[in-house]
Each structure stands twice: as C-alpha cells, then as structure tokens.
Amino acid sequence: MADESKTHEGHRERMRQRYLATGFDSFQDHEILEMILYNCYSRINTNNIAHRLLENFGSLSAVLEAPVDSLKAAGLSERVAVYLRMIPDIARVYLDDRNNSKDKIISLDNIGEYFVSKFIGRIDEHLILLLMDAKCKELFCGVVASGTSCGSDVPVRQIVDLAMRYNATNAAIAHNHPSGVALPSKTDVKTTNALHSTLAMVGIRLVDHIIVADNDYISLRESSLCSSLITGE
C-alpha cells in the first residue's frame, strides 16, 4: 500500500509540474478534469472518474455545465457536483471582471458579443438587462428574471424602475435559449416592441434584444423582426 500511495502522489506531482510548464495547452480533456478533481479527492485515482464523466456527458464543457442532480446520478457526491458546477460560474464572473465595461463605450454593432459571455454556465433561462448612458457607457448590467418563460415574461416595471434609478438613456436586454436554438419566437418580438414603447414613454431607448444560444446569438434589431428597434421610434 505504501508503494502504491507513493506512485499515486508521484503521478499528481508530475501532472502539476507539467501544468506549470505548459499550462493546459498540452492536456487532453480527461487530464484537465482529472486535475480539477484533485481538489475533491485526496487519495482516489481521479483519472478513472474523469473518463467515466466524459463518457456519460460527452465533453468537458458538458460535464461542467451538467445540473447538480445529473452529476449526482453519475455517482458524484453533492459536494463534488457543486464544485464542478461552480467552475463555469467562476469563468463568467472572471470574464465580467476582466472585461469590465463601465469605463468603456459599448458598440451597439457588437452588443451581441458583449452579452454572450454573460450566459456562460447558465443552464436555465435568464433575462439580463444592460443600462447605458447617452454615450453607451455601462451603468448597470444584471439578471432581472429567470425561469422557463423569462424571455416572454419581461418584468417591465422592474426594468423601468432600474432605468430611471440609474438615469439611463439607452437600454438593451438579452435572454438565453438553453435548448440551443437562438431563433426568436413571436412572443419575443411582441414583448420587445411593448418594452420599447414603455421605455420610450420615460425617455429611454431600447436599442436591442439579444437571444443567446450556446456561443451563438441573434439580434432582433439586426434581424429586422422588431420594427421599433429598426426605426428607433
């Protein structure tokens, strides 16, 4: 047992040194997951667990984005499942902090790309509101609704209250389609036009509604589906 323990520790140390030398560039997905699991299992061979999880879920990103209940069904404890689910959320917070836009002018032509990173790791539907000043600098960005119908169930009053509180001039909303299809529904179009009209009554312009699916998105303004967004009226 002593020799086996030394071999186990020696393998982990070699993996750490390899990471320090090359980062994850030279690692396969199962090796990355194996190393992540080092923080959960001190004396277990995590290579086998990593292979099993990848076989069950299909890819590294699918493992990390799997619901906690699905990870538990695959044999993980709740503590380990929660730890893995935290990683995409940490990545999203990291990117938000690194790409903080509060001192930058947000390009309306690339606002879809701005929103995509806001949905990293989100497996349920969320509605995100972005408020900007007259120069399109960020004043506020945050989740204002979540659930299976948040794209159509837009909390108009909450959005108007926030926009007035931050003295916003421009606003944009985005929601995700966890199904993986970014196509807007008729309800998406209807609620967008209604929100545009309501915000216009208090002097705030809704500049776009972005629908995100995985790393893809559709802009309702660019798609010409919402006449109010095109004309700006």
Side-chain angles (χ1 to χ4, degrees), residues 84-146:
L84 292 182
R85 275 294 301 131
M86 285 173 58
I87 294 173
D89 288 335
I90 292 170
R92 184 180 66 253
V93 172
Y94 163 76
L95 287 173
D96 276 349
D97 183 71
R98 191 174 189 274
N99 301 321
N100 190 302
S101 301
K102 291 187 177 179
D103 294 322
K104 301 175 185 176
I105 294 175
I106 298 172
S107 169
L108 299 186
D109 291 331
N110 298 317
I111 201 167
E113 296 175 8
Y114 165 89
F115 273 119
V116 167
S117 65
K118 304 291 184 183
F119 292 94
I120 292 174
R122 298 192 192 277
I123 58 177
D124 298 317
E125 196 168 330
H126 290 74
L127 178 69
I128 294 177
L129 170 67
L130 168 65
L131 298 174
M132 298 166 282
D133 65 13
K135 295 181 179 178
C136 288
K137 286 185 178 180
E138 179 184 319
L139 299 172
F140 167 87
C141 186
V143 174
V144 292
S146 61

